């Protein structure tokens, strides 16, 4: 018999969890309890031993691929402790050396084997192998020992996902089978009882040319989420629905507001939290930064599901409060400061924009000379999250086409603008704000944690920093200041 760590531990979650509500801030720089950036990309979360365990790709500057698999633990999905590498690369190893591809790891417990099993997309640097890697460990944090790398039932395997049915405990692999003309499918294939080898194909999502697959399960339905194939460029994630895993599956639909490209993220995993009062589902997406992959962010959002209408969707939240014991979450309310009330300097100016708050947007932000300042901001004297709502149209629909070019005259992708953020004129302490590209007329947000003085006399000034191409800051719609977490 085999079982999901999440499903097997729900009683622990209901009876033993002590963690209370914590703020989750999608797109922020998440730091562990040692102050280091959380570094676990495109992985999964497992609930075991009263904790959530996050596994993901470990990426550093100069070692974007082949860095191994990191592991973190948390009681609340917000406060993370690093446990180092669960799977370390081995120099000269044919499948897990630093020169190889070790992507999209997933961990599941095998009751039959009495071990934790780790599976991932195993490949070489040219993506010419298209295999699934397998490692095992007696403890959830590892270390994991390499077992093998195989072609699933003789097929190719690229982006890898794993799903465990919480009703019967059976596990399944999801994998796209490459980019060739005879590929472009996503397979859903069952594992044997030990979760050590694949058994049989349950369904094939035929020729949709999708990747980054994940499945979530409700009492009535299965929903499969996948992204289009645009590399590290974001696109519109889609969902399918079915009554059973073998299908029939519905036509796909886009899950987030059109042209937000799923809030500049890619699907990868979904997490079911069955609390004492509510069952909440989270979308665990990656916001890739192809200029510096090691700084890629995490977009974790509650999923809206209506089984009666057979719909699933995402709605943006700057900051939300999640209680993993009850399963309840709620948006955190902040105070907005509009562009109309801001002041400008140099060549920065206010421009009419019918899609912006109050019909006005701040533009022309450039370097230290052309800046905008928001005034009379109320602070608590302690760290607070501030969301900067912006538009950045540099890349003209970046990510919406697999082989697209940034413009018609041979330009280069810019991906993001970088703004400088200064609180109360203190230019000795400049914060950097990454503002990803957007479609024209689409307003997205990026958060920063700032410390404002207590009272209503604070200012926030925004300028432009060098992004490798220019010193432009993105156009600003408004900022929203959130209360300090209790």
């Amino acid at each position: 018999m085999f079982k999901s760590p999440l499903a097997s531990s729900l009683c622990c979650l209901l009876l033993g969890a002590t963690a209370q509500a914590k703020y989750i801030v999608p797109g922020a720089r998440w730091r562990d309890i040692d102050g280091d950036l959380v570094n676990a990309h495109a992985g999964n979360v497992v609930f075991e031993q009263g904790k959530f365990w996050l596994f993901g790709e470990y990426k550093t500057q100069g070692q974007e691929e082949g860095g191994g698999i990191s592991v973190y633990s948390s009681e609340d999905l917000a406060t993370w402790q690093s446990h180092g590498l669960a799977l370390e690369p081995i120099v000269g190893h044919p499948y897990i050396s630093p020169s190889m591809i070790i992507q999209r790891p997933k961990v599941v417990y095998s009751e039959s084997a009495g071990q934790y099993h780790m599976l991932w997309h195993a490949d070489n640097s040219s993506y010419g192998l298209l295999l699934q890697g397998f490692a095992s460990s007696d403890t959830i944090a590892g270390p994991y020992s390499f077992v093998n790398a195989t072609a699933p039932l003789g097929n190719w395997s690229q982006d890898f996902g794993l799903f465990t049915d919480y009703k019967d405990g059976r596990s399944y692999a999801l994998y796209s089978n490459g980019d060739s003309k005879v590929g472009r499918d996503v397979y859903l294939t069952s594992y044997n009882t030990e979760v050590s080898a694949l058994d049989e194909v349950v369904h094939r999502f035929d020729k949709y040319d999708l990747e980054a697959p994940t499945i979530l399960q409700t009492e009535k339905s299965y929903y499969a989420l996948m992204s289009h194939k645009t590399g590290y460029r974001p696109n519109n994630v889609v969902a399918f629905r079915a009554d059973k895993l073998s299908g029939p599956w519905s036509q796909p639909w886009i899950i987030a507001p059109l042209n937000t490209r799923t809030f500049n993220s890619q699907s990868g995993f979904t997490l079911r939290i069955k609390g004492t009062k509510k069952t909440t589902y989270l979308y665990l997406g990656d916001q890739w930064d192809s200029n510096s992959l090691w700084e890629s962010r995490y977009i974790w959002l509650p999923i809206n599901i209506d089984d009666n209408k057979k719909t699933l969707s995402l709605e943006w939240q700057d900051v939300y409060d999640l209680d993993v014991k009850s399963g309840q979450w709620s948006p955190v309310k902040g105070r907005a400061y509009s562009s109309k009330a801001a002041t400008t300097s140099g060549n920065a100016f206010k421009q009419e924009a019918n899609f912006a708050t109050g019909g006005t947007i701040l533009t022309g932000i450039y370097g230290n000379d052309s800046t905008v300042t928001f005034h009379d901001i109320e602070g608590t004297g302690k760290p607070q999250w501030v969301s900067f709502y912006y538009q950045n149209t540099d890349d003209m629909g970046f990510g919406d086409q697999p082989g697209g070019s940034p413009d018609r005259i041979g330009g280069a992708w810019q991906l993001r603008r970088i703004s400088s953020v200064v609180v109360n004129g203190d230019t000795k302490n400049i914060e950097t704000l990454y503002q990803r590209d957007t479609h024209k007329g689409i307003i997205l947000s990026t958060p920063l944690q700032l410390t404002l003085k207590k009272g209503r006399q604070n200012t926030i000034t925004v300028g432009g920093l060098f992004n490798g191409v220019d010193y432009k800051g993105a156009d600003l719609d408004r900022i929203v200041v959130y209360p300090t977490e209790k």
Side-chain angles (χ1 to χ4, degrees), residues 172-190:
Y172 300 81
L174 294 122
Y175 49 96
S176 56
N177 66 335
D179 299 324
S180 67
K181 290 184 179 180
V182 295
R184 302 188 299 167
D185 309 310
V186 171
Y187 281 80
L188 172 60
T189 305
S190 59

Side-chain angles (χ1 to χ4, degrees), residues 205-383:
F205 295 88
D206 187 27
K207 299 297 180 286
Y208 282 104
D209 204 21
L210 300 171
E211 63 181 6
T214 180
I215 287 180
L216 69 84
Q217 176 187 12
T218 66
E219 286 298 318
K220 297 180 180 180
S221 301
Y222 297 92
Y223 295 89
L225 278 61
M226 306 180 200
S227 81
H228 295 83
K229 289 185 178 179
T230 55
Y232 285 119
R233 304 189 296 276
N235 58 62
N236 293 302
V237 169
V238 298
F240 304 78
R241 196 208 68 85
D243 294 325
K244 54 185 180 180
L245 290 173
S246 59
W249 287 83
S250 72
Q251 281 282 316
W253 70 91
I254 293 172
I255 67 171
L258 194 62
N259 292 327
T260 65
R261 290 164 299 180
T262 327
F263 310 113
N264 275 334
S265 76
Q266 184 181 35
S267 53
F269 192 68
T270 50
L271 179 64
R272 176 177 178 266
I273 303 172
K274 183 173 176 58
T276 56
K277 296 182 179 179
K278 181 181 179 180
T279 298
T280 288
Y281 297 87
L282 293 183
Y283 166 89
L284 308 189
D286 293 279
Q287 188 177 78
W288 297 111
D289 185 336
S290 54
N291 286 343
S292 48
L293 282 174
W294 59 94
E295 286 192 290
S296 297
R297 312 288 176 84
Y298 309 92
I299 303 296
W300 290 14
L301 289 168
I303 301 173
N304 300 320
I305 299 173
D306 188 328
D307 265 337
N308 293 325
K309 295 181 179 179
K310 302 179 180 180
T311 60
L312 176 152
S313 64
L314 291 183
E315 181 181 355
W316 179 255
Q317 307 292 336
D318 282 338
V319 183
Y320 62 97
D321 222 348
L322 174 64
D323 186 331
V324 297
K325 183 177 181 180
S326 69
Q328 294 179 308
W329 71 273
S330 60
V332 177
K333 294 182 179 180
R335 181 175 178 179
Y337 298 83
S338 74
S339 58
K340 275 191 170 183
T343 58
T344 63
S345 71
N347 293 322
F349 63 100
K350 299 175 184 179
Q351 187 174 20
E352 177 185 330
N354 61 13
F355 54 85
T357 302
T360 299
I361 202 164
L362 296 162
T363 190
I365 300 168
Y366 193 94
N368 297 325
D369 300 321
S370 299
T371 64
V372 301
T373 300
F374 295 86
H375 300 270
D376 302 325
I377 299 170
E378 186 171 6
T380 64
K382 299 178 181 179

Side-chain angles (χ1 to χ4, degrees), residues 97-220:
S97 76
S99 64
M100 302 299 284
I101 296 295
I102 307 171
Q103 291 181 344
R104 299 194 175 275
K106 305 294 182 287
V107 170
V108 65
Y109 182 69
S110 169
E111 188 171 287
S112 296
Q115 289 183 317
Y116 296 91
H117 288 178
M118 176 185 288
L119 304 114
W120 68 92
H121 169 208
D123 222 321
N124 58 19
S125 59
S126 64
Y127 291 87
L129 299 180
L130 298 174
L131 304 175
Q132 290 177 9
F134 171 35
S136 64
S137 173
D138 292 332
T139 60
I140 189 167
Y144 285 76
S145 299
F146 179 85
V147 177
N148 59 39
T150 58
L153 302 181
N155 203 343
W156 301 310
S157 178
Q158 200 160 340
D159 275 12
F160 177 79
L162 188 144
F163 164 72
T164 300
D165 192 306
Y166 72 80
K167 293 183 179 180
D168 64 15
R170 187 155 199 179
S171 291
Y172 300 81
L174 294 122
Y175 49 96
S176 56
N177 66 335
D179 299 324
S180 67
K181 290 184 179 180
V182 295
R184 302 188 299 167
D185 309 310
V186 171
Y187 281 80
L188 172 60
T189 305
S190 59
Y191 277 103
N192 61 11
T193 56
E194 290 79 23
V195 199
S196 59
L198 291 175
D199 195 4
E200 63 176 344
V201 174
V202 175
H203 183 77
R204 183 177 74 172
F205 295 88
D206 187 27
K207 299 297 180 286
Y208 282 104
D209 204 21
L210 300 171
E211 63 181 6
T214 180
I215 287 180
L216 69 84
Q217 176 187 12
T218 66
E219 286 298 318
K220 297 180 180 180

Side-chain angles (χ1 to χ4, degrees), residues 39-44 53-59 64-72 82-90 95-96 100-107 117-122 133-135 140-144:
N39 193 336
H41 308 281
N44 76 327
W53 297 83
L54 168 64
F55 297 86
E57 300 170 23
Y58 183 73
K59 297 180 180 292
E64 290 87 355
E65 303 290 354
I69 305 303
S70 55
V71 56
Y72 294 79
S82 172
H83 298 275
L85 291 179
L87 179 71
E88 291 197 49
I90 300 173
Y95 298 109
I96 58 170
M100 302 299 284
I101 296 295
I102 307 171
Q103 291 181 344
R104 299 194 175 275
K106 305 294 182 287
V107 170
H117 288 178
M118 176 185 288
L119 304 114
W120 68 92
H121 169 208
F134 171 35
I140 189 167
Y144 285 76

